[in-house]
């Protein structure tokens, strides 16, 4: 066996290792016009069968952090530091060839712009079958048969009849199922779904999320769900990490975080959508704009928009929001937040 065969085989992980451990991950894009600090010290781990939602406004570094994990960022312009371990193996230290072998059977991703990623000139069956032809050397006939099975599995009706149809003959929801079929073709241990339902209408969104949950239950894969949609998080995730300015600013179980946010940004997000229990309640968008990641504010990056900030003499020593950068810390059992005044936000 070569080293890469060992890595891509299904031998058990070193004992005690999480499926995925992301440790103090930084990603910058160095450009002539300046450096974009897209991901700034993100850490989390994922267990088999766990669903972790990564929640945040557009431009908070959600997709870039996932692309770093997938090993698909070009370096340069990206500069990546920190640790990314898949089943205990350090992905950043691996040869690109070995990283490539983890993509598919190890970690697989549904991309944010997935619906436009299908090639219009090939049938969906051919595109799904490619996973088996390229990765497993399957014959055309075998690959087609397995494409039909997968189309069945993602509940595309009349799969055997539709396998030769082209992408434009399918609705948006069905095309997203095709993308999911391709992403799960090699039975990944981890599936990263980047805004998988954003382009779909509400009923279809729910069906696609149900499908992802069912597939997860069948296979025990870990699911990382990237979204800006609180409803999606509430419905399917166990845990949530809230991102702002390329960092995790709050983390905990979905129930805890949604019932009692500990970070003013999370609190703002909750108030910005009509709550289930307060239908008709008025939308309160968070004031101000998400930060420019080429010029992140000093101190707490959220302070310019924060309703709880304390500046100057009003601040406690070492906790001045415009100058002192709050670390992510334990603020309640099972809950971390990066705010000097989380106890106040929680009302404890
Ligand atoms: N290839 C790239 N080169 C330079 N900047 C990038 C690149 N990809 C993303 N960015 C920047 O990184 C930041 C985070 O982007 P992204 O992770 O896509 O946000 P999100 O997914 O949370 O909406 C943004 O400011 C974006 O413009
Ligand atoms: Mg994104």
């Amino acid at each position: 066996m070569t080293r890469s065969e060992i890595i891509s085989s299904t031998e058990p992980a070193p004992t005690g290792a999480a499926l995925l451990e992301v440790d103090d991950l930084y990603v910058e894009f160095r450009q002539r016009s300046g450096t974009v600090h897209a991901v700034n010290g993100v850490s989390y781990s994922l267990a088999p069968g766990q669903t972790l939602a990564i929640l945040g406004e557009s431009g908070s570094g959600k997709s870039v952090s996932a692309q770093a994990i997938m090993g698909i960022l070009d370096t340069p312009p990206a500069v990546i530091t920190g640790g990314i371990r898949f089943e205990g193996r350090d992905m950043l230290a691996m040869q690109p060839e070995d990283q490539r072998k983890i993509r598919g059977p190890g970690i697989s991703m549904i991309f944010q712009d997935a619906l436009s990623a299908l090639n219009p000139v090939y049938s969906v069956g051919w595109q799904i079958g490619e996973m088996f032809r390229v990765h497993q050397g399957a014959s055309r006939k075998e690959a087609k048969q397995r494409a039909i099975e997968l189309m069945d599995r993602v509940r595309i009706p009349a799969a055997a009849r539709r396998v030769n149809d082209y992408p434009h003959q399918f609705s948006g929801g069905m095309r997203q199922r095709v993308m999911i079929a391709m992403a799960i073709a090699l039975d990944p241990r981890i599936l990263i779904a980047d805004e998988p339902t954003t382009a779909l209408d509400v009923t279809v969104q729910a069906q696609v999320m149900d499908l992802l949950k069912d597939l997860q239950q069948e296979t025990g894969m870990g699911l990382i769900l990237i979204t800006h949609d609180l409803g999606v998080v509430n419905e399917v995730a166990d845990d949530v990490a809230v991102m702002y300015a390329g960092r995790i600013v709050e983390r905990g179980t979905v129930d805890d975080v949604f019932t009692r946010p500990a970070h003013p940004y999370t609190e703002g997000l909750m108030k910005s959508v009509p709550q289930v229990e307060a239908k008709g309640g008025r939308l309160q968008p968070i004031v101000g704009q998400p930060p420019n990641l080429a010029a992140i504010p000093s101190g707490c990056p959220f302070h310019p928009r924060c309703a709880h900030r304390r500046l100057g003499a009003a601040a406690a020593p070492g906790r001045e929001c415009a100058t002192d950068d709050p670390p992510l810390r334990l603020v309640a059992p099972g809950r971390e937040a990066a705010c000097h005044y989380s106890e106040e936000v929680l009302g404890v």
Side-chain angles (χ1 to χ4, degrees):
M1 252 194 189
T2 67
R3 184 173 134 75
S4 45
E5 280 171 320
I6 292 167
I7 283 168
S8 64
S9 76
T10 51
E11 68 178 301
T15 42
L19 207 46
L20 180 70
E21 291 167 288
V22 178
D23 183 22
D24 209 20
L25 179 69
Y26 284 76
V27 183
E28 321 179 328
F29 296 99
R30 296 197 183 147
Q31 298 171 328
R32 224 162 283 154
S33 52
T35 299
V36 176
H37 299 272
V39 180
N40 300 299
V42 161
S43 302
Y44 60 80
S45 68
L46 184 75
Q50 184 187 3
T51 300
L52 171 69
I54 299 190
L55 176 71
E57 284 168 299
S58 177
S60 53
K62 304 183 299 297
S63 294
V64 170
S65 56
Q67 288 157 3
I69 292 165
M70 284 296 286
I72 53 172
L73 287 171
D74 288 328
T75 51
V79 178
I80 306 174
T81 60
I84 301 173
R85 282 184 298 280
F86 171 71
E87 296 186 330
R89 298 177 298 239
D90 182 354
M91 290 190 68
L92 290 178
M94 272 177 206
Q95 295 302 314
E97 171 67 6
D98 294 333
Q99 257 192 22
R100 201 177 55 75
K101 296 218 159 148
I102 289 182
R103 291 201 287 275
I107 311 178
S108 180
M109 182 160 167
I110 303 167
F111 292 94
Q112 186 163 0
D113 52 359
L115 287 182
S116 56
L118 284 169
N119 190 325
V121 305
Y122 292 103
S123 72
V124 301
W126 180 262
Q127 292 181 66
I128 298 171
E130 185 171 4
M131 300 300 295
F132 303 114
R133 295 192 306 274
V134 169
H135 289 267
Q136 298 179 343
S139 69
R140 287 178 171 217
K141 198 174 157 205
E142 246 177 326
K144 183 171 171 180
Q145 190 48 45
R146 294 183 65 186
I148 293 170
E149 285 163 20
L150 263 179
M151 287 169 71
D152 259 334
R153 230 175 122 201
V154 298
R155 303 188 208 129
I156 296 173
R161 190 159 53 73
R162 301 215 63 189
V163 66
N164 294 323
D165 285 355
Y166 290 86
H168 74 269
Q169 295 171 285
F170 290 83
S171 66
M174 287 299 150
R175 287 208 306 276
Q176 187 62 302
R177 284 167 197 264
V178 172
M179 297 309 303
I180 294 171
M182 291 168 73
I184 63 161
L186 304 176
D187 272 323
R189 300 298 299 129
I190 299 172
L191 178 63
I192 304 177
D194 192 355
E195 312 262 9
T197 61
T198 305
L200 307 173
D201 71 48
V202 175
T203 332
V204 181
Q205 279 184 10
Q207 291 163 357
V208 167
M209 287 319 307
D210 283 349
L211 171 64
L212 284 175
K213 285 306 277 185
D214 289 350
L215 292 169
Q216 182 189 36
Q217 239 141 43
E218 284 166 29
T219 64
M221 65 188 175
L223 181 60
I224 297 177
L225 180 66
I226 297 176
T227 183
H228 61 257
D229 187 329
L230 293 164
V232 166
V233 175
N234 203 15
E235 243 162 77
V236 302
D238 306 311
D239 302 285
V240 58
V242 181
M243 279 189 77
Y244 189 80
R247 340 167 158 203
I248 293 176
V249 295
E250 174 155 15
R251 150 166 64 210
T253 67
V254 172
D255 284 347
D256 283 354
V257 171
F258 277 37
T259 332
R260 283 175 73 218
H263 193 285
Y265 174 62
T266 320
E267 187 184 56
L269 283 180
M270 298 299 152
K271 285 186 181 158
S272 71
V273 294
Q275 297 293 298
V276 188
E277 58 273 24
K279 275 209 181 89
R282 201 186 265 213
L283 290 180
Q284 289 182 289
I286 303 175
V287 292
Q289 293 299 313
N292 170 0
L293 297 183
I296 296 175
S298 61
C300 169
F302 186 61
H303 85 265
R305 305 172 75 186
C306 183
H308 295 267
R309 69 181 170 201
R310 293 220 199 151
L311 305 175
R319 298 194 283 157
E320 208 281 342
C321 298
T323 50
D324 300 317
D325 189 358
L328 190 65
R329 66 192 171 92
L330 202 65
V331 296
R335 187 92 67 89
E336 289 173 290
C339 171
H340 296 305
Y341 300 102
S342 277
E343 285 75 8
E344 218 167 83
V345 180
L346 281 166
V348 294

